[in-house]
Amino acid sequence: MKQILLLGGSGSIGTQTIDVINKYSTRFNLAGISVGNRTEIVEELIKKSANLNYFCLKNEKDYLYFKAKYPNKHFYFGDNGLIQIIQECPCDMVVNALIGFVGFLPTIEALKLDKTLCLSNKESLVVGGEIVNKILREGKGKLYPIDSEHVAIAKCLYGKDKSDIDKILITASGGPFFFLDEKEFRNITPEDALKHPTWSMGQKITIDSSTMMNKCFEVIEAHYLFGVSGDKIEPIVDRKSHVHSMVRFKNGDTYLQVGPSDMRIPIYYALNESRPDDENGFNDVEKNTTNKYEFYPMNFEKFPLINYAWKCLEKGGNYGAALNAANEELVYAFLNHQIKYMTISSILDKIMKAFSFIENPSIEDLVKTDLEIRKLTKEFINSDAI
Ligand SMILES: NC(=O)c1ccc[n+]([C@@H]2O[C@H](COP(=O)([O-])OP(=O)(O)OC[C@H]3O[C@@H](n4cnc5c(N)ncnc54)[C@H](OP(=O)(O)O)[C@@H]3O)[C@@H](O)[C@H]2O)c1
């Protein structure tokens, strides 16, 4: 029985991970969980599972409440609690389904402790992909991606030689505004941007999907996961999200992973340590069938944020940490109706030209960059507020 610690258990990926654990309950047990503001799930899970004993709450008041109510269980709280629960919860695997920068240090901690990590928090790799890979190289930790595109790429690459890759074609749905006239972009509301055409996800990633910042992050993620240079990674649009990504090889063959838009499929693959089995084999990998599907080229002018991916890979250092921090603040400001949709890219542009670049940042430098850029972004937001 694999003991699992799930970080971000109340979110979209978190709750679907619980579905997978429940479906394969003879193989997986939820040993620990972290939640943010949605604490109802803790009460429900305690009633259902006697084997779940470790909990991390975001807020101290929730921690005090649960600790008093369940004195025999282990409780932690806050950012430090996320680190402590990784250190103390007896588990074989950590699933990081946190959203944003808050997931970065837990990723680092899990890998430093040589844990097996299933990573949904792509921001960890955007912020500190170099450092994550260094810890993986030097230690015994393992990392398996959860993102559907990267599971698709991993499946297309299974048993193949990476030196034979011609292009990784990372698919995007194009989001709700792919065909919208650019002149209309100034009128986009959070409600419009939250209507994703094919996937049901948390709010932040849904906005990132509409601006293509999510695809930008996925290009960076693919680079660090598969060790492939940026010029070999190309986004391509499949409006129906049938094809989750493709790999074209130098001999001309193209492999495609095709399937329903259900995150439980890639989550299971990651929990199974990226190994195909009877439940999730290669039936969904097709060869040279691109003609069956309709693809569109990415529109880099209409969705300029995706271009930050290659800038980030070229610059390295703390560029990704700055990009992520500014984007997070801007997305939440847009969701809170503080700024307009178009302001996300205009402020981001100013920040990425002005921030202090560090070539070889330490983990502490990345934390500092995150804090400084958030402060700077908030100043821009306040001066640009609607
Ligand atoms: N959703 C998808 O389909 C999907 C697909 C591929 C990749 N991803 C990636 O998976 C990650 C999670 O995305 P999601 O859509 O599942 O996000 P989500 O629904 O917003 O869930 C995020 C989780 O993190 C918790 N959280 C947020 N801020 C926190 C903080 N400061 N301290 C402690 N916990 C905190 C939330 O708690 P509360 O909600 O309780 O406050 C929730 O449990 C992201 O990196 C995303 O890019 C998501």
Side-chain angles (χ1 to χ4, degrees):
M1 178 76 84
K2 212 176 262 176
Q3 301 297 333
I4 296 179
L5 167 60
L6 170 60
L7 306 179
S10 49
S12 163
I13 292 295
T15 48
Q16 293 180 84
T17 302
I18 295 173
D19 290 347
V20 174
I21 293 172
N22 288 340
K23 182 169 174 197
Y24 301 96
S25 58
T26 54
R27 295 176 50 203
F28 304 124
N29 175 58
L30 187 65
I33 189 168
S34 90
V35 304
N37 298 319
R38 290 179 272 184
T39 56
E40 323 78 64
I41 190 173
V42 172
E43 209 82 66
E44 282 168 36
L45 288 168
I46 287 177
K47 275 185 209 140
K48 278 190 208 150
S49 168
N51 298 325
L52 171 61
N53 289 309
Y54 289 77
F55 303 86
C56 182
L57 291 313
K58 180 179 167 189
N59 305 307
E60 188 175 5
K61 70 169 176 26
D62 296 321
Y63 158 79
L64 293 170
Y65 168 82
F66 281 106
K67 194 172 146 63
K69 190 162 176 188
Y70 301 100
N72 297 329
K73 308 248 178 214
H74 305 263
F75 290 95
Y76 311 86
F77 74 95
D79 291 358
N80 203 33
L82 288 169
I83 303 299
Q84 281 175 295
I85 196 170
I86 296 171
Q87 292 166 345
E88 292 175 23
C89 173
C91 65
D92 306 298
M93 182 176 260
V94 178
V95 177
N96 186 346
L98 291 160
I99 184 95
F101 182 82
V102 74
F104 173 58
L105 293 178
T107 288
I108 297 290
E109 187 65 21
L111 295 178
K112 275 190 173 169
L113 292 173
D114 291 336
K115 303 268 184 196
T116 296
L117 175 70
C118 296
L119 187 66
S120 191
N121 181 262
K122 62 189 87 181
E123 295 88 347
S124 291
L125 292 173
V126 173
V127 171
E130 286 294 340
I131 292 178
V132 166
N133 276 349
K134 184 167 184 284
I135 300 171
L136 280 167
R137 272 195 309 274
E138 291 173 359
K140 292 199 181 99
K142 293 200 168 61
L143 191 157
Y144 301 108
I146 283 184
D147 231 344
S148 57
E149 291 78 359
H150 303 82
V151 167
I153 295 163
K155 282 185 129 185
C156 293
L157 282 175
Y158 198 85
K160 312 267 187 330
D161 200 325
K162 277 189 206 161
S163 62
D164 292 334
I165 297 174
D166 176 36
K167 274 267 188 285
I168 286 181
L169 296 153
I170 190 159
T171 50
S173 74
F177 311 129
F178 192 68
F179 291 125
L180 186 71
D181 192 316
E182 254 177 285
K183 289 190 206 100
E184 300 294 325
F185 274 34
R186 68 173 70 99
N187 301 320
I188 291 171
T189 64
E191 293 69 30
D192 298 330
L194 286 171
K195 284 182 205 137
H196 194 277
T198 50
W199 290 93
S200 163
M201 307 180 284
Q203 289 203 338
K204 197 248 172 193
I205 184 179
T206 307
I207 301 298
D208 284 344
S209 298
S210 79
T211 62
M212 296 301 147
M213 186 55 103
N214 182 49
K215 213 44 59 184
C216 162
F217 283 2
E218 287 176 5
V219 169
I220 300 169
E221 191 183 2
H223 163 76
Y224 287 115
L225 287 171
F226 303 109
V228 170
S229 58
D231 60 328
K232 285 187 179 281
I233 308 171
E234 186 179 314
I236 186 165
V237 175
D238 165 15
R239 292 293 291 155
K240 295 186 174 145
S241 295
H242 284 152
V243 180
H244 297 309
S245 276
M246 304 180 262
V247 179
R248 193 170 66 219
F249 291 89
K250 285 178 184 159
N251 68 0
D253 285 342
T254 300
Y255 287 75
L256 311 76
Q257 193 263 324
V258 183
S261 302
D262 181 347
M263 281 307 296
R264 283 168 288 216
I265 299 167
I267 291 170
Y268 173 75
Y269 196 71
L271 262 52
N272 209 35
E273 302 187 14
S274 298
R275 273 196 299 257
D277 65 7
D278 292 347
E279 290 286 330
N280 195 327
F282 286 108
N283 296 343
D284 55 359
V285 177
E286 300 180 0
K287 187 174 163 186
N288 298 333
T289 57
T290 45
N291 290 344
K292 271 170 57 184
Y293 306 97
E294 193 176 14
F295 297 109
Y296 299 86
M298 175 55 67
N299 189 334
F300 293 92
E301 283 77 37
K302 198 168 176 181
F303 299 100
L305 298 199
I306 194 167
N307 294 304
Y308 282 112
W310 292 275
K311 283 188 204 155
C312 183
L313 295 183
E314 184 198 320
K315 298 235 171 227
N318 64 342
Y319 193 95
L323 182 69
N324 176 67
N327 182 61
E328 255 185 65
E329 289 298 329
L330 289 162
V331 167
Y332 288 118
F334 169 65
L335 281 168
N336 292 331
H337 296 270
Q338 278 174 278
I339 56 167
K340 295 196 166 166
Y341 191 71
M342 300 289 278
T343 310
I344 297 177
S345 69
S346 63
I347 295 185
L348 201 56
D349 208 33
K350 289 178 196 157
I351 288 170
M352 296 316 290
K353 280 183 186 139
F355 84 101
S356 312
F357 181 66
I358 306 173
E359 196 163 349
N360 288 307
S362 62
I363 293 170
E364 293 70 30
D365 289 331
L366 295 177
V367 173
K368 212 168 143 222
T369 300
D370 180 75
L371 285 170
E372 282 173 6
I373 295 296
R374 279 173 201 277
K375 192 167 164 273
L376 182 65
T377 313
K378 279 180 189 148
E379 284 164 19
F380 274 109
I381 289 169
N382 290 336
S383 62
D384 223 303
I386 297 168

